Amino acid sequence: MTAERFDAVVVGAGFAGSLVADRLGRRGWRVLVLEAGAEQPPAEQLQAFRTAVAKVPGSALAPNAVVPSPEVLDLAARDGGGHRATGHLLQNGELPYGSGYLRANGGSGLAWTGLTPRMHPEDFRAGDFGPARSWPIGYDELEPYYRAAEREIGVAADADEQRVRVGLPLPEGYVFPMRPVPPSYLDQVVAAGLDGRSVRDPADPRPTPVELRVVGTPSGRATTPATFPATAEAAEAAEAAADRPACAGSASCIPVCPTGAKYTPLSTQRRWPPTVQLRTQAVVSRVLVDAGGRATGVEYQAYRDPASPRHTRHTVHADVVVLAAHAVENARLMLAGGLANSSDQLGRNLMDHPVLLTWGLMPEQTGPYRGPGSTSGIEGFRFGAARAHRAPFRIEIGNWGWSWAVGPVDGDIAELLHRGDPAAPTGIGLFGKELRQAARDRIGRQFALQFEMEQEADPANRVTLDHARRDLLGNPRPVLTYGLSDYVKRGMAAAKAVSDQLFALLGAEDHTAHHPGLPGYFEYQGAPLRFHGAGHGAGTHIMGDSPATSVVDSAQRCWDHPGLYAVGCGSMPSVGTSNPSLTMAAMALLSCERIHQDLTNRHRISLST
Ligand SMILES: Cc1cc2nc3c(=O)[nH]c(=O)nc-3n(C[C@H](O)[C@H](O)[C@H](O)COP(=O)(O)OP(=O)(O)OC[C@H]3O[C@@H](n4cnc5c(N)ncnc54)[C@H](O)[C@@H]3O)c2cc1C
Ligand code: SF4
């Protein structure tokens, strides 16, 4: 049988893959997108989410034993130290890698929270400040692609606030496509308590206090479209947002937005030109390269029944292969094929934004569990000389009460029913009016702070393969080895000290408690701490300016293989403190220029021979 031929084959129809396919398709290239997961219409996702017992990121997806989505629920502490994971990911590190990802059409962008801050110019030069790596490109080179990504995603933000409060050099007259998401009631309460006041950063030897300011977080969810001057860019932004209603505040952004206000890659897919073809339930198992190392296509396994290992094998040839399968799966695919690793950096440098959570009760009602998971943050610990002493961090103000830190509100109600005594039988605690009042007092005053740390690239944190343990299709499973450096732990300890000062300024009761035995627990200088994963896996096919020290170049092209691109957060040399997907989308758009150039050159060569 003759193998099919396309100009480009894209592996993965998630955030990055959907964008790359769109831009190449619009240039007229014939693109095949191969997606491992199944197609699940949003209405079915909603139904699955409503009936799921644990409302985790993958809870809106139908079960798929062939390509399961890794979840943190798999994590358990091991007797004698360390952690194990029993799902798709195997774990092998000092500390657990606490983030999952989704394998379904649309990828992890189906369940993302939707926060889209840009990285700060300083983040691209992280190596000048601390142990994190600098980028081979700077903010200025990425800036036009940031704008294009913001148009595609329909980002809601206030340009002046981002300029003044975050220090972003946005172009003169720039308008974000959507008006900012209004601050939550909690944001307003916190701002009233903190704005203009200051706290000490204990890790910074300088006595300069850090001034506090609550700042709106850019977000990929529809609000009211902004008013633009009539330009082609404005028309593009309007088109991208046209099919999404304004955010209604229903507070289930993870895992699924019931109204469609939140951007997902399916929004980009809906606008794909006819030159783009999608094939779901198609798991790429091998990248094909010729004798000169050039990528020539892929092999994939097609399955029909998500519960059965039965599948058929297929080959597709293409001038360009773009891996967009997520940081972990991109590395897994290249490791399996023995590709792209002359630097010995492939699979290494696995990063996330380790998150410290603190939580408490405000003196007054905060109106939690409404609107997006976070609408504002505190930016003052992201920048500057303190980076030399501890990991920088961004503080998100969490609108969803204690749900991330402790669990859903059912736990609070159960505790009130037992009057705080878990051994007491249900029914002898509070009930009726007393229960309603206690619930209002307890749940209505909840708030949480989420401290997201920059984690530097550490070659010891890595993805490897276990050839003895394979998935249902017979492919080796990924093994993650993960830990936190002293730099990150120092950042967490500083964040906890900052949190203590914020709680004191707010007059809040601190209920934060980190218990040994829970995944992510560790002690630093005698103090108990615990981190959670942010879902921001990065670094596994790290970008750099030399093939000796990196896997991809600044356009995400694998140094070792002409025609092979690995796109996504896996290329990031460092992650700053911003949620990464906007930057990842900007990088993907930059790569598309180079891929278009590659394809044009290839086409010219084949026409002239
Ligand atoms: C709960 C949660 C909340 C998040 N919130 C935010 C946020 O607020 N802001 C932010 O910036 N980021 C957020 N993120 C991170 C964001 O979702 C990721 O950065 C982004 O989705 C990564 O995009 P990607 O295209 O690289 O991978 P994905 O979106 O994961 O897509 C990869 C796709 O490739 C497919 N695939 C995998 N292997 C194969 C194969 N062998 N063959 C074919 N297809 C394959 C997968 O099925 C999947 O569809 C969040 C993540 C999670 C989990
Ligand atoms: S708050 Fe509700 S409507 Fe708004 S993005 Fe989240 S889930 Fe969608």
Side-chain angles (χ1 to χ4, degrees), residues 11-17 34-37 57 100-109 111-116 254 282-285 324-327 329 333 534-536 567-569 579-582 584:
V11 180
F15 214 121
L34 295 170
E35 166 53 48
Y101 48 90
L102 266 57
R103 295 199 291 168
N105 183 33
S108 313
W112 74 319
T113 320
L115 303 181
T116 53
I254 303 175
V283 181
V284 172
S285 53
H326 184 272
E329 298 293 326
L333 249 177
H536 299 170
V567 301
C569 298
N579 317 55
S581 303
L582 177 78
M584 178 191 75

Side-chain angles (χ1 to χ4, degrees), residues 89-317:
L89 297 178
L90 304 165
Q91 297 240 10
N92 186 24
E94 170 213 343
L95 288 167
Y97 178 76
S99 286
Y101 48 90
L102 266 57
R103 295 199 291 168
N105 183 33
S108 313
L110 295 173
W112 74 319
T113 320
L115 303 181
T116 53
R118 291 186 182 195
M119 279 173 60
H120 191 272
E122 185 184 293
D123 294 330
F124 293 87
R125 296 179 279 110
D128 296 349
F129 299 88
R133 285 202 199 191
S134 291
W135 287 51
I137 50 173
Y139 177 91
D140 289 346
E141 280 156 283
L142 211 53
E143 205 286 327
Y145 300 100
Y146 264 134
R147 275 181 277 148
E150 282 160 354
R151 288 195 294 277
E152 177 66 32
I153 294 170
V155 169
D158 179 336
D160 284 340
E161 191 181 36
Q162 292 297 304
R163 258 188 219 106
V164 175
R165 299 291 177 207
V166 187
L168 288 180
L170 298 173
E172 184 68 29
Y174 181 61
V175 183
F176 283 93
M178 294 278 166
R179 292 191 193 284
V181 174
S184 67
Y185 182 66
L186 171 65
D187 294 339
Q188 295 172 44
V189 171
V190 174
L194 298 183
D195 273 359
R197 303 179 84 175
S198 56
V199 294
R200 286 256 317 123
D201 173 356
D204 188 349
R206 299 160 317 151
T208 333
V210 179
E211 193 189 313
L212 301 169
R213 186 72 54 187
V214 171
V215 180
T217 306
S219 160
R221 43 180 51 77
T223 56
T224 310
T227 316
F228 296 98
T231 60
E233 291 189 347
E236 194 191 321
E239 188 206 329
D243 63 346
R244 285 160 48 211
C247 170
S250 28
S252 66
C253 327
I254 303 175
V256 59
C257 170
T259 66
K262 183 183 77 168
Y263 170 84
T264 75
L266 303 183
S267 173
T268 295
Q269 290 184 16
R270 282 193 286 274
R271 295 192 305 281
W272 275 347
T275 41
V276 178
Q277 236 186 76
L278 170 68
R279 219 163 273 172
T280 55
Q281 304 191 197
V283 181
V284 172
S285 53
R286 200 152 83 91
V287 177
L288 304 172
V289 293
D290 65 16
R294 181 171 189 95
T296 58
V298 299
E299 271 179 18
Y300 73 92
Q301 298 161 291
Y303 63 96
R304 287 215 173 136
D305 178 357
S308 156
R310 291 186 57 172
H311 64 274
T312 49
R313 287 184 181 273
H314 307 263
T315 301
V316 177
H317 290 302

Side-chain angles (χ1 to χ4, degrees), residues 461-522:
N461 285 348
R462 63 189 298 199
V463 182
T464 51
L465 300 182
D466 188 334
H467 290 276
R469 290 194 276 180
R470 292 173 176 261
D471 65 17
L472 272 191
L473 296 180
N475 300 312
R477 283 168 62 190
V479 183
L480 304 191
T481 307
Y482 188 72
L484 302 183
S485 67
D486 202 58
Y487 180 68
V488 174
K489 289 179 177 172
R490 243 180 294 138
M492 292 232 164
K496 178 65 176 67
V498 167
S499 174
D500 291 347
Q501 296 173 71
L502 299 181
F503 275 66
L505 288 173
L506 292 167
E509 266 172 51
D510 197 344
H511 285 247
T512 309
H514 301 301
H515 298 294
L518 289 175
Y521 177 87
F522 66 94

Side-chain angles (χ1 to χ4, degrees), residues 336-350:
L339 301 175
N341 202 13
S342 62
S343 62
D344 188 32
Q345 293 300 305
L346 178 63
R348 295 185 183 273
N349 306 304
L350 173 65

